[in-house]
Amino acid sequence: QGVAKFERITVAVGYQGQGIGSILIRAMESWAVEQGFRQVLITSKWDVRHFYLQLGYQTEGDVIAGGLFPLIRVTKTLL
């Protein structure tokens, strides 16, 4: 039906690389499905886009500039 939108999800530097980000994203996806959403849209830092691509997301649109760091939108269709 609709699109669940999440913004700038971050794991603190000292905790990165431990699987916490993947756990958070999967939990958010589960919540979105429970709420009836069929797609997720996340706005995140451009330099971590590969993290999302590994989780099955696709980039959408161009890099968003103008803030402290460039951003990208990624989307995923949920089952």
Side-chain angles (χ1 to χ4, degrees):
Q1 294 181 342
V3 178
K5 297 177 184 177
F6 300 102
E7 299 284 330
R8 302 177 192 178
I9 302 143
T10 304
V11 174
V13 174
Y15 295 94
Q16 292 176 0
Q18 299 178 32
I20 296 168
S22 297
I23 292 168
L24 287 171
I25 298 300
R26 289 189 181 106
M28 291 167 37
E29 291 172 355
S30 294
W31 176 85
V33 168
E34 290 170 7
Q35 301 305 309
F37 294 104
R38 294 291 168 236
Q39 188 173 23
V40 173
L41 169 67
I42 299 174
T43 303
S44 185
K45 289 183 178 180
W46 179 82
D47 61 348
V48 297
R49 68 195 178 284
H50 297 293
F51 167 77
Y52 292 102
L53 297 176
Q54 291 174 347
L55 294 175
Y57 285 79
Q58 297 178 344
T59 58
E60 179 180 277
D62 297 325
V63 173
I64 305 163
L68 295 175
F69 41 79
L71 301 172
I72 191 76
R73 288 186 186 97
V74 293
T75 62
K76 182 176 182 179
T77 300
L78 305 171
L79 301 175

